[in-house]
Amino acid sequence: MIVAIGKNNEIGKDNKLLWHLPNDLKFFKEITINKIVIMGRKTFESLPGKLPKRKQLIITNNKNYVCDAKVCHTIESVLEYITKTSEECFIIGGASIYQEFLPYAKYLYITKVDDIKASDAFFPKINEDDYHIILLGKNEDNGIKYKHYKYVRKNPRK
Ligand SMILES: NC(=O)c1ccc[n+]([C@@H]2O[C@H](COP(=O)([O-])OP(=O)(O)OC[C@H]3O[C@@H](n4cnc5c(N)ncnc54)[C@H](OP(=O)(O)O)[C@@H]3O)[C@@H](O)[C@H]2O)c1
């Protein structure tokens, strides 16, 4: 998983991101480039365009959903896809998808933004004891400070 969160685990409002952090977007690109990115229909529709050099998988209940990406309709079918592919997959949001896939994620790349914003979408509360936590670096954009962490699950599911 990869996510940027505020101090209250907030991640979005009105189907938009809360911050414009160019250096974090660069980090997101470095981590996900040439990988498979998996997202909910709402996050997909919030993107300005297709993410270049990444295969995209969209989850929706809508059986008639048509878009320029692979579409799945259940968590089980996404998990089957992840298990079968030899490529690395990233869950890239939003709130509902993070919640549903958190138990399966081996690594969490979490950008912790030193800010609080009004929000209607949140990253789930995680049990920090379940992870080894590595600080990857500190960053700043437009006066907003943030840190990149990698959470490695101690006992990942097979
Ligand atoms: N800060 C960050 O790093 C970050 C990253 C990504 C997104 N976000 C933010 O997160 C917010 C969006 O989150 P969200 O929770 O509202 O939307 P979402 O998770 O992006 O998408 C939700 C949609 O995904 C589909 N879905 C979810 N679970 C499903 C399941 N089990 N089976 C089939 N379809 C399923 C449904 O689509 P249908 O309605 O079509 O059935 C559902 O309405 C936005 O504000 C966005 O900017 C933040």
Side-chain angles (χ1 to χ4, degrees):
M1 277 185 181
I2 184 161
V3 66
I5 66 174
K7 285 182 168 181
N8 292 326
N9 271 25
E10 64 270 43
I11 64 165
K13 188 167 191 310
D14 300 330
N15 210 28
K16 293 190 190 103
L17 296 175
L18 298 172
W19 307 275
H20 177 61
L21 304 172
N23 286 319
D24 190 50
L25 293 176
K26 221 163 103 186
F27 176 79
F28 173 83
K29 189 174 175 188
E30 279 166 18
I31 297 289
T32 59
I33 199 86
N34 298 320
K35 308 279 167 42
I36 297 169
V37 292
I38 299 170
M39 72 197 94
R41 191 264 308 163
K42 290 185 185 169
T43 292
F44 176 64
E45 290 182 357
S46 78
L47 296 176
K50 212 172 173 196
L51 295 170
K53 296 188 181 166
R54 277 149 284 190
K55 278 188 218 162
Q56 304 189 90
L57 194 162
I58 317 307
I59 314 176
T60 172
N61 293 293
N62 181 354
K63 298 278 188 298
N64 300 315
Y65 196 71
V66 178
C67 66
D68 186 17
K70 183 173 171 58
V71 177
C72 280
H73 303 292
T74 62
I75 298 176
E76 292 71 26
S77 59
V78 175
L79 290 173
E80 194 184 336
Y81 178 85
I82 292 171
T83 310
K84 280 186 179 158
T85 181
S86 55
E87 293 176 61
E88 203 174 353
C89 299
F90 277 88
I91 301 291
I92 66 160
S96 68
I97 302 301
Y98 289 133
Q99 178 78 46
E100 290 168 303
F101 286 92
L102 184 64
Y104 305 99
K106 289 182 183 163
Y107 310 106
L108 315 175
Y109 288 90
I110 304 181
T111 296
K112 292 193 182 181
V113 184
D114 189 18
D115 194 18
I116 295 177
K117 287 264 194 212
S119 176
D120 58 18
F122 296 84
F123 192 70
K125 291 265 178 270
I126 58 173
N127 182 357
E128 302 229 324
D129 293 340
D130 290 344
Y131 300 89
H132 298 291
I133 302 169
I134 303 152
L135 175 62
L136 299 177
K138 297 179 183 182
N139 225 326
E140 186 170 342
D141 274 312
N142 314 315
I144 299 172
K145 290 186 167 58
Y146 51 95
K147 292 178 182 166
H148 303 288
Y149 290 90
K150 184 174 182 180
Y151 282 57
V152 180
R153 198 179 261 284
K154 289 176 183 168
N155 295 303
R157 290 188 183 203
K158 292 280 180 257

